[in-house]
Amino acid sequence: MRQNVLAMEIASTYLLVTFACALVAMALRLPPLVGFLAAGFVLAGMDAPELPGLDTAANLGVTLLLFKIGLKLDVRVLLRREVWFTATAHMLIYTVVGAGLLKLFMLLGLPFLDGLPWPALLIIGFAFSYSSTVLVVKVLEDRGESQAFYGRIAIGVLVLQDIAAVAFIVASSEDLPSPWVPALVLVWPISRLLRRMWSSIGHGEMQVLFGVVAAFVPGYAFFDAVGLKGDLGALVMGLLLAGHPAATELTRHLSSVKNLLLVAFFINIGMTGVPQLEHVLVAVCLLVLVPLQGLGYSLLLRISRISRHTTSRAGLALANFSEFGLIVLAVAVSVQWVSEDWLTIGALAVALSFVLSAAANRSERLADTYARILPPDAPPERLHDDCRPVDFGDARALVLGMGRVGKSAARQLVKEHGVSVLGLEQDKERISRLETKGWRVMETDASDVRLWESVAAGSQIELVVVALPSHETSLDVLNLLRHTGFEGTVAAMARYPDHVDQLTEAGADVVLQVYEGAGAQLADEAVAALPTASGWGNADDLFTR
């Protein structure tokens, strides 16, 4: 009993510190995850007792994250030149560049580098060549752009990096994988069975439980049992289940669980060790690699004829260090190539890179500025197919985001008002489904200033309906419309009352709170279905009672 009370006291301390640090981060206009990282350092500095289950919760969060990536990932993306070429070339080039920079730091007398051989420097450079899957996916989800073109490129690069990390860990391990590895082919028929079961389990909590079981049993546990990384198994299981009609619903249900568990992951990063002044000095110097990392991704993507707009967003999203780098450093420590101090340096560098990345990816203005310093775009006909200008045709209205709200708005404009509508969407699967049903939908990035310059310059567009899931992206679109001089009408949706005020201030002519609008429509349709609507009084009487 006493042990339970003590565990609850420790948990209360962790929760209080984490919540307080997250509030401070938000007050400084930084994402809460920066506060979670800071909480780890604060708790380590307080010498707080270890919280039972924190490591387990962190691992569960990463496993669910990779499972979710698999559910939404099209394997064909990994085979596209802009993904496999960028991931491979960046890893090779950056490892050498990182080792060279460390050699320069060594000559300048930076601590913990003296006497390190080239193999050790290359291993450290390799450790910092990875970008963080956890951070990048969270940034993309917060912006509602995981299915944007640059988002799909970034996730594809991350998946290939994760596979390379697993290969490195297996190759560096003294223990060979189990001879039972070929038995993993059984995961395929198991996934077929799970897909059939999935179609009959209904909704709500059973969806969540199904996702957790699929990720951790035939996914994580099977791979872990044969000596492979369990996280890779969760990713593979997600890929095998992708494309199921309920996949979108499952990812939505898992989001809250995954986000809560990832709080433990970020705290863990900060609690790796209490940094000394020399650790901080080396970690800060290593941050020079972060902008070089983002620039490297951008320039490699330019080789694949990707536009400046897309390469700038992908480069900023991927400009950070990864939690996998800590695993690589742990391997280097185990073979005594580097001292244990490098684990503390690595954890601090990863945490600081998270802070920089989270701040950099909040601003579309910064991304636009960065895009302008990249090499200019080739003529439209030579650009990648996904980066070419949008042809509006005879459309007089644009609907951004063809989810449930956007689709309903487009249907109403066409059927009730006879307006020619073009839907703009980022999700390729959704576009394909809508096109088979006769919708006019094009893939484009709503944050691309060239799109809105085209709208304002010479198109027939008179109405723009913003039905995007991300409030921040909706605000960015409104700012772009105002900046490019669009003179038509702009309507936007909001989830919360304070969002209504913000969208109105940003220039929206009409803002509808989604749930309020749904309630009004429900009442209208209910009254219309009555045999007679007489005797229902009038609105003035209703509100004066």
Side-chain angles (χ1 to χ4, degrees):
M1 183 65 179
R2 175 58 187 163
Q3 275 188 326
N4 290 338
V5 173
L6 182 60
M8 288 301 296
E9 290 175 352
I10 296 172
S12 298
T13 301
Y14 273 65
L15 288 170
L16 182 61
V17 171
T18 302
F19 186 68
C21 289
L23 283 179
V24 171
M26 293 177 67
L28 296 174
R29 299 185 62 80
L30 292 170
L33 70 87
V34 175
F36 305 152
L37 289 165
F41 287 115
V42 171
L43 289 165
M46 293 169 53
D47 198 20
E50 182 179 345
L51 178 63
L54 186 67
D55 284 342
T56 301
N59 290 334
L60 292 176
V62 174
T63 300
L64 281 181
L65 173 74
L66 290 174
F67 178 68
K68 269 192 66 179
I69 290 174
L71 279 177
K72 300 172 71 174
L73 183 68
D74 184 347
V75 179
R76 293 171 296 183
V77 170
L78 305 181
L79 303 177
R80 298 181 68 163
R81 182 177 186 271
E82 63 268 20
V83 173
W84 67 261
F85 170 76
T86 301
T88 306
H90 185 275
M91 196 175 300
L92 293 173
I93 295 171
Y94 196 84
T95 295
V96 175
V97 170
L101 189 63
L102 289 168
K103 187 69 174 180
L104 176 61
F105 288 160
M106 181 193 299
L107 296 175
L108 294 175
L110 208 65
F112 308 115
L113 285 166
D114 189 38
L116 288 182
W118 272 106
L121 296 176
L122 287 169
I123 284 291
I124 297 173
F126 179 65
F128 289 110
S129 71
Y130 289 98
S131 299
S132 171
T133 302
V134 176
L135 176 67
V136 175
V137 172
K138 184 160 182 57
V139 166
L140 292 173
E141 287 182 346
D142 288 346
R143 292 171 62 90
E145 296 182 347
S146 58
Q147 293 302 313
F149 182 44
Y150 87 88
R152 296 198 305 273
I153 291 175
I155 290 174
V157 169
L158 291 167
V159 170
L160 290 180
Q161 287 184 348
D162 291 347
I163 293 172
V166 171
F168 172 82
I169 293 166
V170 171
S172 61
S173 175
E174 296 180 358
D175 300 323
L176 294 174
S178 167
W180 288 99
V181 167
L184 289 177
V185 297
L186 294 175
V187 171
W188 168 260
I190 290 173
S191 71
R192 300 299 96 183
L193 180 62
L194 287 173
R195 290 177 75 94
R196 292 183 182 180
M197 185 186 305
W198 194 359
S199 300
S200 60
I201 62 171
H203 307 277
E205 63 274 9
M206 282 302 293
Q207 284 277 344
V208 178
L209 185 58
F210 171 83
V212 171
V213 170
F216 289 107
V217 182
Y220 189 102
F222 279 22
F223 276 65
D224 186 63
V226 297
L228 297 178
K229 205 164 186 305
D231 295 341
L232 179 62
L235 175 64
V236 170
M237 183 51 62
L239 288 169
L240 293 174
L241 294 177
H244 189 280
T248 301
E249 180 184 358
L250 179 57
T251 56
R252 187 171 64 250
H253 283 312
L254 288 176
S255 289
S256 297
V257 179
K258 180 260 300 176
N259 287 339
L260 184 60
L261 291 171
L262 284 179
V263 173
F265 167 81
F266 290 116
I267 294 173
N268 250 1
I269 291 288
M271 291 191 70
T272 304
V274 180
Q276 305 301 317
L277 183 59
E278 289 181 325
H279 295 143
V280 175
L281 174 63
V282 178
V284 169
C285 289
L286 287 172
L287 291 181
V288 175
L289 290 167
V290 172
L292 292 178
Q293 190 181 46
L295 182 62
Y297 284 119
S298 296
L299 294 178
L300 288 168
L301 286 169
R302 298 290 284 138
I303 294 174
S304 297
R305 299 180 294 114
I306 308 297
S307 69
R308 289 197 297 184
H309 174 85
T310 300
T311 56
S312 63
R313 269 70 181 172
L316 282 178
L318 292 165
N320 49 72
F321 299 142
S322 171
E323 57 282 357
F324 273 118
L326 300 180
I327 299 174
V328 174
L329 289 174
V331 172
V333 169
S334 68
V335 296
Q336 299 182 339
W337 280 349
V338 298
S339 68
E340 288 189 7
D341 292 287
W342 276 96
L343 285 176
T344 303
I345 293 169
L348 185 60
V350 168
L352 291 174
S353 78
F354 281 11
V355 174
L356 290 179
S357 181
N361 282 283
R362 286 181 65 88
S363 171
E364 281 292 327
R365 193 169 300 171
L366 175 62
D368 289 334
T369 302
Y370 173 43
R372 285 194 288 272
I373 70 173
L374 294 173
D377 285 340
E381 65 273 9
R382 294 182 56 197
L383 281 175
H384 190 284
D385 290 345
D386 290 314
C387 299
R388 292 178 182 175
V390 176
D391 180 9
F392 300 111
D394 62 348
R396 293 175 55 204
L398 294 181
V399 176
L400 273 69
M402 291 294 286
R404 285 174 293 183
V405 175
K407 190 167 64 174
S408 177
R411 182 185 295 112
Q412 188 77 358
L413 286 170
V414 173
K415 292 189 174 181
E416 298 297 326
H417 303 284
V419 177
S420 179
V421 175
L422 175 63
L424 302 181
E425 177 57 59
Q426 296 177 339
D427 190 328
K428 273 187 174 294
E429 289 187 9
R430 180 176 293 165
I431 292 171
S432 179
R433 289 196 302 269
L434 291 171
E435 286 180 337
T436 58
K437 296 178 180 178
W439 291 89
R440 291 179 59 200
V441 188
M442 294 191 69
E443 180 185 4
T444 191
D445 185 347
S447 63
D448 190 343
V449 67
R450 294 176 309 162
L451 168 69
W452 302 115
E453 287 173 346
S454 300
V455 169
S459 72
Q460 305 177 69
I461 304 300
E462 302 174 34
L463 170 65
V464 175
V465 178
V466 183
L468 298 170
S470 167
H471 175 63
E472 288 72 20
T473 306
S474 297
L475 288 174
D476 289 336
V477 168
L478 288 167
N479 289 328
L480 284 170
L481 283 167
R482 183 169 54 187
H483 174 73
T484 54
F486 177 67
E487 297 180 354
T489 300
V490 182
M493 75 166 190
R495 293 182 183 275
Y496 307 107
D498 57 321
H499 288 181
V500 174
D501 297 335
Q502 293 170 18
L503 291 167
T504 302
E505 291 174 7
D509 301 290
V510 177
V511 182
L512 179 67
Q513 191 176 342
V514 175
Y515 303 116
E516 178 181 326
Q521 182 179 353
L522 179 63
D524 288 343
E525 294 189 8
V527 172
L530 289 170
T532 174
S534 61
W536 281 75
N538 62 53
D540 292 334
D541 290 339
L542 176 66
F543 288 105
T544 53
R545 289 173 188 168

